[in-house]
């Protein structure tokens, strides 16, 4: 079993593959964490020969169509029998006829659709079955790379596969989604059922196992490990201009008072930071308290609107004690406490931790709190990827 690490980052065992963006889909996601069977789906029966070329725009149900898909680039065998994909340029077109001839058109930029015959290295493909095998092979290679990089399929979205295929073959496969996603679902089951190597992400003093990352799946409650490492990523994304206190800080403060936590900032000057984030866990609920050192304002952010303002006042008492201890007289008084009710609210009992992390990310980046409950599935997947990649992806 192996774990790949490189200067604090998780490194994919297949570094040659590029990672695609999340895309714009918000609701089309793959549930669960895994793929299976390995069988190549039965291709449609070959159609009767015809002289008529097929336009891509005329395909309404590709899962029932005999149109063949050809890759833009070819596959060749390397040393040891390994396959090296896409070394030789190829033309990707669709055809109904099995005979040579007919008009052809090379892929061009713009909305115009392709028509004509399928040509590979100047020769027509033997059958649609060969085309389907090429498509399936590329889907499986992408899924293998994804699984190796992220340890599961929790952060996978349908748009990832669609974007990958469009980038690979230079064609929009949206009308082939039944074929594509059927293969994805089957292979997902195969991969997940196979024995998996150990997986962990190491970043500074933080280590995340797959069990930790799995708290980002579905509507699970986030654990402290995820909260704390993501807080560290937020701090590093703005070059340390903010500080994110450990998720155990508030609990320790409440049980042992200032003396129990004063050493936690031995190497940090909190008052030199523009913002200080304090994640607060109240038995079964996460909320967030921030200290704006510029405005001398303590703010409470609660996605359920149930947290008491005394939570914020506890942090105020801590900061005044810290100012006295560190001889920062300018911060010993003059603070105000606020509670903003006009912030994104959760509509269930499970996503409070995700809301706290998203509040923190946007506030650190100086962005408005513009998201809602419907965005949470996508945000969970983005956070999962960011933790594995050891950096924030979005600065919007």
């Amino acid at each position: 079993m192996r774990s790949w690490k490189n200067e604090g980052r998780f490194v994919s065992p297949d570094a040659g593959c590029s990672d695609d963006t999340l895309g714009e889909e918000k609701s089309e996601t793959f549930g669960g964490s895994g793929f299976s069977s390995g069988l190549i789906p039965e291709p449609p029966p070959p159609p009767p020969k015809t002289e008529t070329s097929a336009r891509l725009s005329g395909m309404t149900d590709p899962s029932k169509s005999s149109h063949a898909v050809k890759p833009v680039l070819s596959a060749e065998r390397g040393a040891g029998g390994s396959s090296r994909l896409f070394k030789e340029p190829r033309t990707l077109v669709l055809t109904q006829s099995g005979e040579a001839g007919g008009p052809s058109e090379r892929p061009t930029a713009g909305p115009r659709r392709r028509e004509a015959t399928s040509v590979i290295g100047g020769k027509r493909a033997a059958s649609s079955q060969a085309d389907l095998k090429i498509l399936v092979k590329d889907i499986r290679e992408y899924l293998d790379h994804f699984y190796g990089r992220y340890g599961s399929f929790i952060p996978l979205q349908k748009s990832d596969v669609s974007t990958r295929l469009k980038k690979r073959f230079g064609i929009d496969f949206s009308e082939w989604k039944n074929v594509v996603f059927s293969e994805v679902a089957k292979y997902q089951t195969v991969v997940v059922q196979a024995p998996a190597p150990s997986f962990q992400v190491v970043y500074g003093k933080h280590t995340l196992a797959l069990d930790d990352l799995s708290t980002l799946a579905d509507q699970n409650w986030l654990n402290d490990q995820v909260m704390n490492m993501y807080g560290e990523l937020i701090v590093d994304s703005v070059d340390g201009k903010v500080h994110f206190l450990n998720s155990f800080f508030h609990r320790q403060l409440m049980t042992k008072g200032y003396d129990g936590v004063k050493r936690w900032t031995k190497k940090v000057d909190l008052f030199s930071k523009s913002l200080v984030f304090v994640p607060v866990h109240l038995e079964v609920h996460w909320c967030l308290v921030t200290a704006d050192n510029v405005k001398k304002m303590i703010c409470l952010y609660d996605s359920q609107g149930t947290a008491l303002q005394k939570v914020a006042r506890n942090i105020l008492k801590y900061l005044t004690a810290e100012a006295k201890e560190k001889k920062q007289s300018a911060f010993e008084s003059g603070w105000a406490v606020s509670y903003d009710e006009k912030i994104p609210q959760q509509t269930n009992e499970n996503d409070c931790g995700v809301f706290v992390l998203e509040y923190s990310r946007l506030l650190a980046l100086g962005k408005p709190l513009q998201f809602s409950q419907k965005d949470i599935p996508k945000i969970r997947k983005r956070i999962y990827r960011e933790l594995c990649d050891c950096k924030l992806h979005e600065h919007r």
Side-chain angles (χ1 to χ4, degrees):
M1 297 195 296
R2 296 181 297 169
S3 174
W4 297 271
K5 312 181 192 73
N6 183 14
E7 297 180 354
R9 288 193 176 190
F10 174 78
V11 179
S12 166
D14 184 7
C17 293
S18 61
D19 185 35
D20 297 315
T21 58
L22 287 174
E24 297 300 322
E25 290 190 46
K26 295 183 179 179
S27 59
E28 288 190 274
T29 59
F30 293 106
S33 56
F35 290 126
S36 186
S37 134
L39 296 176
I40 296 173
E42 189 88 23
K49 294 183 179 181
T50 174
E51 297 295 328
T52 305
S53 297
R55 291 190 64 85
L56 184 59
S57 59
M59 295 173 60
T60 57
D61 188 358
S63 64
K64 299 179 181 179
S65 170
S66 61
H67 294 186
V69 180
K70 304 297 177 187
V72 178
L73 304 173
S74 68
E76 63 181 40
R77 288 285 176 182
S82 62
S83 176
R84 294 184 292 125
L85 294 179
F86 312 115
K87 300 291 288 184
E88 179 182 327
R90 293 180 176 180
T91 303
L92 174 63
V93 283
L94 301 174
T95 182
Q96 280 183 323
S97 173
E99 301 176 353
S104 66
E105 180 181 336
R106 289 187 177 275
T108 58
R112 190 175 176 187
R113 305 230 183 202
R114 301 175 184 80
E115 61 179 299
T117 60
S118 176
V119 180
I120 298 184
K123 298 180 180 180
R124 185 178 304 278
S127 68
S128 60
Q129 182 176 7
D131 301 328
L132 184 58
K133 286 183 178 180
I134 293 173
L135 179 63
V136 167
K137 177 180 175 66
D138 192 77
I139 292 173
R140 293 183 177 186
E141 286 185 342
Y142 174 68
L143 296 176
D144 284 338
H145 165 65
F146 190 99
Y147 192 77
R149 179 168 184 169
Y150 296 112
S152 76
F153 293 113
I154 291 171
L156 182 66
Q157 298 190 93
K158 288 184 177 180
S159 59
D160 297 331
V161 180
S162 300
T163 300
R164 156 75 174 208
L165 294 178
K166 185 174 182 179
K167 183 177 180 180
R168 251 340 187 188
F169 298 110
I171 188 172
D172 185 359
F173 281 85
S174 59
E175 295 182 353
W176 287 66
K177 62 183 180 180
N178 291 338
V179 173
V180 171
F181 296 148
S182 174
E183 176 58 32
V184 169
K186 286 192 290 185
Y187 195 57
Q188 187 178 20
T189 305
V190 173
V191 174
V192 169
Q193 289 180 350
S198 61
F199 183 91
Q200 65 176 9
V201 179
V202 177
Y203 184 71
K205 62 184 179 181
H206 304 282
T207 300
L208 297 182
L210 191 56
D211 285 346
D212 301 315
L213 292 165
S214 295
T215 64
L216 285 158
D218 304 319
Q219 295 187 23
N220 293 332
W221 294 2
L222 304 193
N223 68 9
D224 293 281
Q225 287 73 22
V226 167
M227 301 291 289
N228 290 325
M229 179 171 163
Y230 197 76
E232 193 76 14
L233 295 183
I234 291 173
V235 171
D236 291 346
S237 72
V238 293
D239 300 322
K241 295 178 182 178
V242 303
H243 187 71
F244 192 93
L245 285 168
N246 189 283
S247 63
F248 297 102
F249 173 84
H250 182 263
R251 188 181 312 164
Q252 184 82 347
L253 177 65
M254 292 298 95
T255 56
K256 297 188 177 181
Y258 177 75
D259 288 339
V261 296
K262 68 179 180 180
R263 293 180 59 85
W264 289 40
T265 56
K266 183 178 180 180
K267 298 180 180 180
V268 178
D269 179 7
L270 291 183
F271 303 106
S272 69
K273 310 298 182 180
S274 59
L275 274 175
V276 176
F277 296 96
V278 186
V280 177
H281 191 249
L282 301 173
E283 296 184 0
V284 293
H285 180 58
W286 288 100
C287 65
L288 175 70
V289 176
T290 65
D292 186 328
N293 287 319
V294 177
K295 299 178 180 178
K296 297 181 75 172
M297 179 73 71
I298 308 292
C299 297
L300 173 63
Y301 297 87
D302 181 19
S303 58
Q304 286 187 332
T306 58
L308 301 176
Q309 287 201 21
K310 70 177 183 180
V311 175
R313 297 191 181 279
N314 290 335
I315 302 303
L316 174 58
K317 291 179 181 178
Y318 162 77
L319 287 174
T320 56
E322 177 79 353
K324 290 179 181 178
E325 177 72 17
K326 300 293 179 65
K327 296 179 172 52
Q328 296 275 1
S329 58
F331 296 95
E332 290 183 23
S333 61
W335 289 91
V337 176
S338 72
Y339 173 54
D340 189 354
E341 297 180 352
K342 296 181 179 180
I343 58 174
Q345 297 286 290
Q346 66 187 97
T347 58
N348 60 24
E349 301 294 324
N350 309 302
D351 291 321
C352 51
V354 183
F355 273 80
V356 165
L357 293 184
E358 190 66 356
Y359 291 155
S360 301
R361 182 185 76 92
L362 293 173
L363 290 169
L365 296 174
K367 304 299 181 183
L369 303 182
Q370 294 180 348
F371 67 98
S372 67
Q373 179 69 57
K374 69 178 181 179
D375 300 313
I376 294 302
K378 179 181 177 181
I379 292 173
R380 280 178 174 269
K381 292 175 181 292
R382 192 202 70 228
I383 291 174
Y384 188 115
R385 290 192 181 198
E386 290 172 328
L387 289 168
C388 289
D389 294 338
C390 297
K391 64 179 181 180
L392 299 190
H393 291 170
E394 296 185 3
H395 293 271
R396 293 179 290 170

